[in-house]
Amino acid sequence: MSHNTPNAAARGAEPTRAVLVGVDVGGNAAFDATLDELALLAASAGDVAVARVTARRRAPDPALFVGSGKADEIKALVAATAAHGVIFDQALSPAQQRNLERHLGCPVADRTGLILDIFADRAQSHEGKLQVELARLQYQATRLVRRWSHLERQQGGIGTRGGPGEAQIELDRRMIGDRIKTVKERLEKVKRQRGTQRKQRERRGTFRVSLVGYTNAGKSTLFNGLVKARAYAADQLFATLDTTTRALWLNESQSQVSLSDTVGFIRDLPHKLVEAFEATLQEAAEADLLLHVVDAASPLLDEQMAEVERVLDDIGAAQVPQILVYNKCDLLEASRQSRERADWLEVHPGVRRQRVFVSAVTGDGLPDLRQAIAQHAAARLNGGDTAASTEHGPALAVAFPGPDPATSHPFPHA
Ligand SMILES: Nc1nc2c(ncn2[C@@H]2O[C@H](COP(=O)(O)OP(=O)(O)OP(=O)(O)O)[C@@H](O)[C@H]2O)c(=O)[nH]1
Ligand SMILES: [Mg+2]
């Protein structure tokens, strides 16, 4: 746990109790009425969601984000549930955050702050820590308070909380500015070193495969299943922050490729965080092949895929050949299971992607996935742009003979 999160250890045994608030602004398609993802994010940060509230507005209230009636309702809920704070699923401006804290009499966090806290908790490598620190500093530069950081003061009784004085704010701002500069310089240095390593790898001609996908889709589990490693996999959001790379031997093509497990994506990933993690994400942009892992059992599958596509586009990885890996097929009811082990999916008009159905947990479909990777690798090694590396035709159909009548379900359930 980091020093920033109001973790149980710092505040006695009990975790921070939070009221979750989601505001549907202007009928946003990405609005999550269940607030399930926010609850999972909160849990990943060590908080427990004690109540959920949703509201709908045509536009955010400039002062309070929600209307004052809604704010009163939230305040009553905080009291009724003995909550320590409130977390909004949408990004709040620094002023809205301050006003809400005053109105509600308790700390208020937003989705961005929450994600930054989780990243701060998870960062392991030198580079990862620098990247998170940079993103946090940039977020804090406009806020000057950490999420929940004033909880202790508030526990003396609501209303005793005083804001930092103006002089302190000035000082903090200057210190933050200096620190941002230092961190950026250090990151530059790490990045140069990475660049050298990468060139060495390129010289050896390794075919590079990167796992990408929405957080919790099962990338690390799949990574472990493919390379028989033991990367940290957990039912947490952003369990993985640092890129891990291992060699993967493919019998199918009698060749070795490198496989990288990377940080997961999420809706409304704070922009500063994407910027700060540029070096890590570059791993994906420079890969020869992306395995886009999706949680086939998620009700938000389409939104999650679209979000991943958006981030890939942002980091310049949109053109990298992609295999869609529909993971967690073991969780699908029989009626929703694919009869094929692999097929082609039209993701945009005219763009078809090869899709493989797997379960990283049971190992079903992994041979087909290895086969598909091997074909991409072989195509590259044989001098490039063969059918396997295009995205426009079922060139690999021959690799996936139709369903065997004996096992016409790809994942016969026991
Ligand atoms: N039932 C089932 N669960 C799976 C499967 N693959 C992964 N999981 C579970 O899904 C959760 C997330 O798995 P991870 O491998 O950590 O996911 P990730 O994509 O690496 O997540 P982040 O690193 O947090 O972005 C874990 O609880 C896994 O056990 C699968 O094929 N079937
Ligand atoms: Mg992971």
Side-chain angles (χ1 to χ4, degrees):
M1 271 287 162
S2 80
H3 48 286
N4 334 291
T5 311
N7 56 61
R11 304 190 321 94
E14 138 226 33
T16 304
R17 299 163 61 81
V19 170
L20 308 185
V21 182
V23 186
D24 183 4
V25 181
N28 178 3
F31 175 70
D32 172 21
T34 67
L35 296 181
D36 281 348
E37 185 175 277
L38 188 67
L40 209 51
L41 276 170
S44 299
D47 302 342
V48 48
V50 290
R52 304 177 189 203
V53 193
T54 56
R56 177 181 293 205
R57 290 185 65 83
R58 206 168 307 185
D61 180 75
L64 286 176
F65 199 74
V66 290
S68 61
K70 201 58 166 187
D72 289 340
E73 186 188 317
I74 297 167
K75 186 174 179 169
L77 206 55
V78 168
T81 57
H84 299 110
V86 177
I87 306 176
F88 278 73
D89 199 19
Q90 286 72 31
L92 300 171
S93 74
Q96 286 163 338
Q97 187 184 8
R98 268 196 312 273
N99 294 335
L100 277 165
E101 292 192 335
R102 220 166 285 145
H103 192 100
L104 302 175
C106 69
V108 171
D110 69 357
R111 184 181 171 90
T112 311
L114 183 56
I115 293 175
L116 287 172
D117 269 9
I118 297 173
F119 270 68
D121 273 354
R122 300 277 193 277
Q124 295 279 340
S125 72
H126 179 53
E127 186 175 18
K129 286 181 181 155
L130 285 173
Q131 295 180 118
V132 174
E133 185 177 356
L134 180 60
R136 287 186 75 99
L137 285 166
Q138 287 170 331
Y139 178 73
Q140 281 168 14
T142 53
R143 291 174 206 251
L144 298 168
V145 281
R146 291 176 180 154
R147 198 171 74 92
W148 295 168
S149 61
H150 28 317
L151 247 190
E152 280 72 28
R153 248 175 300 160
Q154 184 231 330
Q155 278 174 347
I158 289 170
T160 59
R161 186 174 70 82
E166 285 304 315
Q168 186 61 41
I169 288 178
E170 255 318 299
L171 189 66
D172 285 358
R173 226 169 238 152
R174 206 156 353 111
M175 278 167 50
I176 287 178
D178 289 349
R179 186 73 196 151
I180 286 179
K181 207 165 140 251
T182 313
V183 174
K184 274 190 172 159
E185 282 163 8
R186 291 200 185 149
L187 265 175
E188 254 330 292
K189 200 168 140 209
V190 180
K191 217 159 118 181
R192 276 198 299 274
Q193 287 166 351
R194 264 178 101 85
T196 326
Q197 287 169 5
R198 202 178 289 128
K199 282 206 197 85
Q200 283 167 353
R201 246 185 298 158
E202 269 159 22
R203 245 177 272 133
R204 273 184 272 129
T206 317
F207 185 83
R208 283 166 303 158
V209 183
S210 261
L211 289 158
V212 294
Y214 209 76
T215 183
N216 219 37
K219 298 176 294 299
S220 298
T221 311
L222 191 62
F223 178 82
N224 292 342
L226 286 170
V227 303
K228 310 273 182 284
R230 282 200 290 157
Y232 180 59
D235 198 9
Q236 283 172 331
L237 301 188
F238 303 116
T240 308
L241 273 200
D242 296 314
T243 303
T244 315
T245 303
R246 288 273 190 294
L248 169 63
W249 172 257
L250 296 166
N251 256 336
E252 295 81 352
S253 58
Q254 290 291 304
S255 64
Q256 182 167 295
V257 303
S258 82
L259 183 68
S260 297
D261 182 22
T262 60
V263 57
F265 303 156
I266 195 165
R267 170 173 71 79
D268 302 331
L269 196 63
H271 189 73
K272 291 288 175 206
L273 203 56
V274 177
E275 244 171 55
F277 269 75
E278 191 205 317
T280 303
L281 295 170
Q282 225 173 355
E283 191 79 25
E286 291 174 4
D288 298 299
L289 173 67
L290 296 178
L291 304 183
H292 178 172
V293 184
V294 304
D295 177 351
S298 168
L300 299 170
L301 173 92
D302 291 340
E303 287 84 353
Q304 295 180 347
M305 278 177 66
E307 188 55 42
V308 171
E309 292 282 348
R310 201 156 30 234
V311 179
L312 288 176
D313 205 40
D314 266 7
I315 59 172
Q319 300 309 319
V320 182
Q322 223 186 77
I323 298 175
L324 283 172
V325 182
Y326 271 49
N327 188 33
K328 305 199 186 182
C329 285
D330 57 294
L331 297 179
L332 295 177
E333 288 163 27
S335 63
R336 289 182 57 213
Q337 302 232 353
S338 163
R339 298 184 73 82
E340 313 286 338
R341 287 172 303 178
D343 63 5
W344 288 78
L345 182 72
E346 181 152 20
V347 282
H348 310 292
V351 179
R352 298 184 348 131
R353 293 235 159 95
Q354 186 185 1
R355 170 166 65 168
V356 183
F357 299 93
V358 307
S359 164
V361 160
T362 66
D364 273 310
L366 294 194
D368 303 278
L369 179 57
R370 297 173 66 97
Q371 174 84 273
I373 300 170
Q375 291 197 337
H376 276 268
R380 218 275 310 258
L381 293 174
N382 296 338
D385 208 25
T386 70
S389 63
T390 82
E391 311 224 305
H392 298 280
L396 301 181
V398 68
F400 300 109
D404 178 340
T407 55
S408 69
H409 271 290
F411 313 123
H413 27 250

